């Protein structure tokens, strides 16, 4: 559904650089939504969209219907359309005002023959600090085209070989500068060329997005190598201070300073012996004199084997991951 939604956007629409949860990505629907109708499976994708010099927001939800189609009531919607395949689409173009601030909003809700309900809501709410003028990014007809896409419904078959959605990065909070999309793309090119001999991933490295919190960028992938099924996460931030007192050890971590002043820290942590699911985390943190910090995390539930520290260091120490 994520791919169908992206493909269905008009060609002049740009999805703003943002975390996974705000990059128009659907997450899996828990359980069998076609059978668990009492609960009603659902999934939502959100993003800020730019069109020309203007910016607005889009939210699309696909769910399993749990109630009959509501009646068409004047004042609650502008139009009800009946399509040849039995789909019913309600549309509304309106606005609301809170504390003197008016927000324009457009909705299209499709009640589909398979029992899916697809709801697309577009507003003129721009991302905070974007500086762009506000505008609703999609017309009513464009929203209708999205919600009636045959791939955007609960029962749509998943094509063989379809990747799972991008993983949400580990929560982190860095006080450094916000990294823009251009810099992230330069680092993407570097990550994509790093050899990972003998390691298979569910998707290639080189798709950094903003972190859920803080000014850094990150990517999380699944390691699918037999016996090493684990998670690998990369976080890059800037304007970070160099750690002090290098060449000391504490717990099961170690710290050393390289000739150019770069500080390399390694850390490995195992869950408590009484934990219900034993887990091991392995981390390499490289802080450059420039203030660029690269953190590489490998973590998994036992007995999966983590990626070796040498490989994590090789990724983190790549000179191309410093600020260019």
């Amino acid at each position: 559904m994520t791919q169908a939604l992206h493909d269905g956007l008009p060609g002049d629409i740009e999805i703003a650089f943002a975390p996974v949860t705000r990059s128009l990505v659907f997450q899996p629907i828990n359980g069998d939504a076609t059978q668990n109708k009492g609960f009603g499976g659902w999934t939502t994708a959100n993003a800020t969209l730019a069109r020309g010099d203007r910016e607005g927001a889009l939210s699309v939800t696909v769910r399993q219907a749990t109630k009959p189609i509501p009646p068409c009531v004047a004042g609650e919607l502008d139009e009800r359309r009946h399509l040849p395949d039995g789909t019913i689409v309600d549309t509304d173009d309106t606005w609301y005002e809170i504390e003197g601030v008016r927000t324009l909003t457009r909705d299209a809700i499709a009640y589909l023959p398979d029992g899916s309900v697809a709801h697309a809501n577009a507003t003129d709410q721009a991302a905070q600090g974007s500086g762009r003028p506000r505008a609703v990014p999609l017309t009513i007809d464009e929203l209708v085209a999205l919600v009636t896409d045959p791939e955007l419904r609960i029962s749509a078959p998943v094509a063989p070989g379809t990747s799972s959605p991008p993983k949400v990065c580990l929560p982190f909070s860095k006080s450094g500068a916000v990294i823009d999309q251009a810099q992230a793309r330069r680092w993407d090119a570097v990550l994509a060329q790093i050899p990972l001999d003998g390691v298979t991933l569910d998707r290639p490295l080189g798709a950094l997005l903003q972190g859920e919190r803080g000014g850094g960028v990150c990517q999380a992938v699944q390691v699918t190598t037999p016996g090493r099924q684990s998670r690998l996460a990369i976080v890059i931030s800037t304007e970070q201070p160099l750690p002090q007192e290098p060449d000391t050890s504490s717990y099961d971590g170690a710290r050393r300073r390289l000739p150019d002043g770069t500080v390399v820290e390694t850390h490995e942590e195992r869950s408590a012996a009484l934990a219900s699911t034993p887990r091991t985390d392995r981390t390499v943190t490289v802080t450059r004199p420039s203030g660029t910090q690269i953190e590489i995390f490998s973590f998994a539930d036992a007995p999966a084997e983590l990626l070796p520290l040498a490989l994590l260091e090789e990724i983190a120490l790549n000179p191309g991951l410093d600020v260019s």
Side-chain angles (χ1 to χ4, degrees):
M1 293 197 301
T2 295
Q3 190 60 54
L5 182 55
H6 286 224
D7 291 345
L9 292 175
D12 59 343
I13 289 283
E14 178 185 353
I15 300 173
F17 185 56
V20 170
T21 55
R22 299 197 296 277
S23 293
L24 217 59
V25 174
F26 290 107
Q27 293 299 319
I29 298 172
N30 293 327
D32 187 345
T34 62
Q35 295 182 13
N36 190 11
K37 296 182 179 180
F39 177 76
W42 60 275
T43 182
T44 298
N46 304 284
T48 297
L49 303 182
R51 194 168 200 176
D53 64 343
R54 297 181 177 272
E55 196 169 77
L58 175 66
S59 176
V60 180
T61 297
V62 181
R63 62 179 174 84
Q64 177 70 43
T66 57
K67 299 178 181 179
I69 297 173
C72 182
V73 178
E76 293 185 3
L77 53 91
D78 290 338
E79 181 186 13
R80 169 162 285 181
R81 305 183 188 185
H82 294 263
L83 306 187
D85 67 350
T87 296
I88 293 176
V89 184
D90 291 344
T91 62
D92 195 27
D93 190 344
T94 186
W95 57 271
Y96 62 87
E97 192 169 295
I98 299 176
E99 296 182 350
V101 178
R102 179 170 295 192
T103 298
L104 307 180
T105 178
R106 292 178 186 145
D107 290 270
I109 304 176
Y111 302 94
L112 301 157
D114 72 332
S116 299
V117 179
H119 179 190
N121 168 255
T123 73
D124 67 344
Q125 291 179 321
Q128 186 175 7
S130 70
R132 294 187 186 224
R134 293 170 45 153
V136 183
L138 296 167
T139 67
I140 286 290
D141 285 342
E142 287 168 341
L143 293 175
V144 170
L146 289 181
V147 297
T148 55
D149 187 319
E151 298 297 322
L152 211 66
R153 55 189 67 183
I154 295 291
S155 64
V158 179
T162 300
S163 299
S164 59
K167 304 291 184 183
V168 176
C169 292
L170 293 168
F172 67 92
S173 181
K174 298 288 184 179
S175 58
V178 174
I179 297 169
D180 62 21
Q181 187 171 8
Q183 178 62 69
R185 293 296 167 261
R186 287 191 287 271
W187 286 333
D188 283 346
V190 174
L191 288 169
Q193 297 301 316
I194 295 177
L196 300 173
D197 296 338
V199 177
T200 55
L201 306 175
D202 67 338
R203 66 189 65 246
L205 293 182
L208 294 167
L209 293 173
Q210 288 181 345
E212 297 299 324
R213 297 195 299 270
V217 293
C218 61
Q219 182 184 9
V221 298
Q222 192 77 28
V223 178
T224 58
T225 309
R228 286 188 173 177
Q229 289 88 344
S230 57
R231 290 276 297 277
L232 173 66
I234 300 172
V235 177
I236 305 178
S237 51
T238 58
E239 298 183 351
Q240 301 303 307
L242 279 171
Q244 300 302 309
E245 301 178 8
D247 304 316
T248 62
S249 298
S250 62
Y251 304 105
D252 50 2
R255 180 185 296 167
R256 70 184 191 276
R257 186 187 296 273
L258 304 184
D260 67 353
T262 296
V263 175
V264 180
E265 299 171 285
T266 61
H267 184 75
E268 187 164 306
E269 182 176 355
R270 294 175 178 83
S271 60
L274 297 179
S276 58
T277 304
R279 172 172 154 164
T280 303
D281 295 354
R282 184 173 286 166
T283 307
V284 170
T285 302
V286 169
T287 308
R288 298 283 189 179
S290 65
T292 303
Q293 187 173 84
I294 302 98
E295 297 172 281
I296 312 292
F297 303 88
S298 177
F299 51 99
D301 296 334
E305 181 183 350
L306 298 180
L307 297 179
L309 279 174
L311 177 58
L312 303 185
E313 285 197 19
E314 182 180 350
I315 298 172
L317 284 169
N318 190 297
L321 296 182
D322 204 351
V323 173
S324 54

